[in-house]
């Protein structure tokens, strides 16, 4: 398989796989994960069917990957059409999706969202006293890194369609930069360069970059911390930790989903990066073959990948 296509396919399958398996431990503390999965959460068919999780089929992705597909469907003429992406978000919202985050819900429910998405986004950020920095933009941003050029500008614009905080924007830029360099240049963005990106957007990002780089174990990141599991920088730290420390796609996947917290989002971001790093051909076949609606998903993402690669050529 072509190296670029292998990494692209790994990124987009990684997104959905991390999301789908992470649902099994979403909103759980690490102690609850151990109680429900004493031998570790490893497979979709283990996922307990409580009131939250039984709304999805086993192996199904959640809103994280739904919104990523809204972005993917906005790719036109070598770039993402920001208006089309906003319209796709609104159409998706109007179908009453499951699992939508509070901040994203507030922005998308506004009547003039499609006409003025960034204004709506900034309004809700201002109403939060500029404190709202949820991970709802980071969870969906992986596909932006697969664009052949201008990914920074596109990632900023797509982030601000719902999340205006500079911590959210900086988080997205870091992840998009990592994925883009892995896919198109076969290059890992080094620690110092990631810190430089962080400083350009918000100095508060720096401590989370350092924590990921210096922690010897993912448990040191406290991903199940009760009051901030949905914080964009907590998810970013999980992604960076696995980017630097996971020796394989599967080990990164299992390490993050067994920490609990916002595990589907953490899993989606982590595994999109690891998929771009290690490639689709490194995946255990179980996770691909047992993904819910796998055939439909494969058709959609391969069509996108072929379009991107053909336009790049």
């Amino acid at each position: 398989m072509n190296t670029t296509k292998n990494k692209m396919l790994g990124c987009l399958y990684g997104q959905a796989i991390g999301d789908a398996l992470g649902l099994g431990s979403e909103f759980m503390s690490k102690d609850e994960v151990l109680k429900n999965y004493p031998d570790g959460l490893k497979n979709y068919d283990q996922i307990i069917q409580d009131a939250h999780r039984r709304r999805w089929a086993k192996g199904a992705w959640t809103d994280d990957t739904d919104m990523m597909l809204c972005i993917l469907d906005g790719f036109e003429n070598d770039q993402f059409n920001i208006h089309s992406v906003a319209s796709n978000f609104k159409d998706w919202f109007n179908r009453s999706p499951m699992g939508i985050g509070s901040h994203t819900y507030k922005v998308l429910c506004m009547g003039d969202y499609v006409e003025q998405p960034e204004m709506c986004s900034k309004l809700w950020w201002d109403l939060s006293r500029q404190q709202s920095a949820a991970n709802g933009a980071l969870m969906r941003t992986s596909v932006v890194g697969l664009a052949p050029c201008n990914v920074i500008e596109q990632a900023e614009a797509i982030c601000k369609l719902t999340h205006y905080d500079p911590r959210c924007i900086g988080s997205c830029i870091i992840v998009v930069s990592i994925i883009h360099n892995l896919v198109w240049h076969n290059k890992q963005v080094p620690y110092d360069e990631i810190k430089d990106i962080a400083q350009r957007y918000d100095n508060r990002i720096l401590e989370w970059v350092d924590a990921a780089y210096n922690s010897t174990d993912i448990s040191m990141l406290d991903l199940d911390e009760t009051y901030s599991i949905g914080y964009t920088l907590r998810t970013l730290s999980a992604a960076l930790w696995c980017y630097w420390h996971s020796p394989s796609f599967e080990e990164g996947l299992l390490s993050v989903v067994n920490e609990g917290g916002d595990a589907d989002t953490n899993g989606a971001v982590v595994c999109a990066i690891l998929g771009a790093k290690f490639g689709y051909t490194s995946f255990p076949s179980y996770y691909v073959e047992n993904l819910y609606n796998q055939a439909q998903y494969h058709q959609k993402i391969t069509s996108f990948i072929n379009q991107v690669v053909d336009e790049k050529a």
Side-chain angles (χ1 to χ4, degrees):
M1 181 184 293
N2 173 283
T3 300
T4 300
K5 287 187 176 182
N6 184 37
K7 288 176 175 288
M8 285 182 155
L9 203 58
C11 176
L12 295 180
Y13 261 117
Q15 160 96 31
I17 290 166
D19 184 3
L21 190 63
L23 175 63
S25 56
E26 183 189 22
F27 302 144
M28 292 182 186
S29 68
K30 190 169 182 180
D31 287 342
E32 289 171 328
V33 176
L34 290 170
K35 179 180 177 182
N36 286 293
Y37 309 108
D39 296 321
L41 174 59
K42 300 174 184 175
N43 299 319
Y44 307 129
D45 56 11
Q46 293 176 265
I47 296 175
I48 63 169
Q49 297 299 282
D50 57 11
H52 174 54
R53 273 157 272 272
R54 70 187 178 205
R55 296 179 295 162
W56 287 271
K58 292 184 178 183
W61 60 79
T62 74
D63 59 310
D64 304 52
T65 303
D66 282 344
M67 293 197 79
M68 183 277 288
L69 291 172
C70 290
I71 299 171
L72 181 149
D73 286 337
F75 188 78
E76 304 169 4
N77 301 319
D78 214 26
Q79 63 184 346
F80 295 97
N81 182 313
I82 304 304
H83 178 77
S84 295
V85 172
S87 182
N88 292 343
F89 284 168
K90 186 69 170 184
D91 289 343
W92 170 77
F93 172 80
N94 287 337
R95 295 193 295 271
S96 301
M98 295 185 295
I100 187 170
S102 172
H103 178 94
T104 300
Y105 180 90
K106 290 172 182 176
V107 176
L108 294 182
C109 75
M110 298 185 72
D112 56 350
Y113 173 76
V114 175
E115 292 74 26
Q116 301 185 84
E118 189 172 318
M119 184 201 75
C120 294
S121 174
K122 187 175 186 303
L123 172 64
W124 278 108
W125 182 59
D126 287 338
L127 287 171
S128 78
R129 299 181 180 179
Q130 300 184 350
Q131 294 301 306
S132 181
N135 58 15
L138 185 57
M139 71 184 193
R140 67 190 188 217
T141 203
S142 59
V143 67
V144 183
L146 304 185
C149 58
N150 300 323
V151 294
I152 304 303
E153 296 86 345
Q154 293 178 80
E156 288 186 6
I158 291 171
C159 178
K160 289 196 287 187
L161 290 175
T162 53
H163 291 69
Y164 208 83
D165 193 284
R167 291 167 290 179
C168 299
I169 300 168
S171 299
C172 288
I173 298 307
I174 288 170
V175 167
V176 162
S177 298
I178 288 171
I179 289 172
H180 184 79
N181 277 280
L182 287 168
V183 169
W184 290 106
H185 306 295
N186 198 28
K187 169 194 169 187
Q188 293 192 38
V189 180
Y191 166 69
D192 287 341
E193 191 172 326
I194 288 174
K195 291 192 72 172
D196 288 343
I197 296 171
Q199 285 184 298
R200 289 204 299 270
Y201 288 92
D202 196 301
N203 284 330
R204 289 172 289 185
I205 302 173
L206 290 171
E207 65 178 289
W208 297 84
V209 174
D210 285 339
Y213 189 76
N214 295 317
S215 296
T216 56
D217 191 274
I218 195 171
S219 64
M220 298 172 69
L221 301 179
D222 296 325
L223 298 182
D224 63 343
E225 198 280 325
T226 304
Y227 299 105
S228 63
I229 62 170
Y231 184 32
T232 191
L233 298 183
R234 195 169 294 279
T235 295
L236 177 66
S237 70
L240 291 175
W241 189 92
C242 289
Y243 170 58
W244 282 316
H245 302 290
S246 295
S248 70
F249 173 83
E250 185 176 23
E251 289 185 58
L253 166 67
L254 298 184
S255 68
V256 74
V257 301
N258 282 284
E259 289 297 306
D262 199 359
D264 61 331
T265 294
N266 296 341
V269 181
V270 162
C271 292
I273 289 175
L274 295 183
K277 181 177 181 179
F278 295 110
Y280 170 76
T281 52
S282 74
F283 291 11
S285 60
Y286 168 85
Y287 294 113
V288 173
E289 293 170 359
N290 291 280
L291 192 65
Y292 188 71
N293 280 343
Q294 184 268 339
Q296 178 184 352
Y297 188 72
H298 185 84
Q299 182 178 18
K300 179 178 281 288
I301 65 174
T302 53
S303 177
F304 164 78
I305 289 169
N306 289 334
Q307 180 186 359
V308 174
V309 172
D310 288 347
E311 290 186 3
K312 175 70 171 177

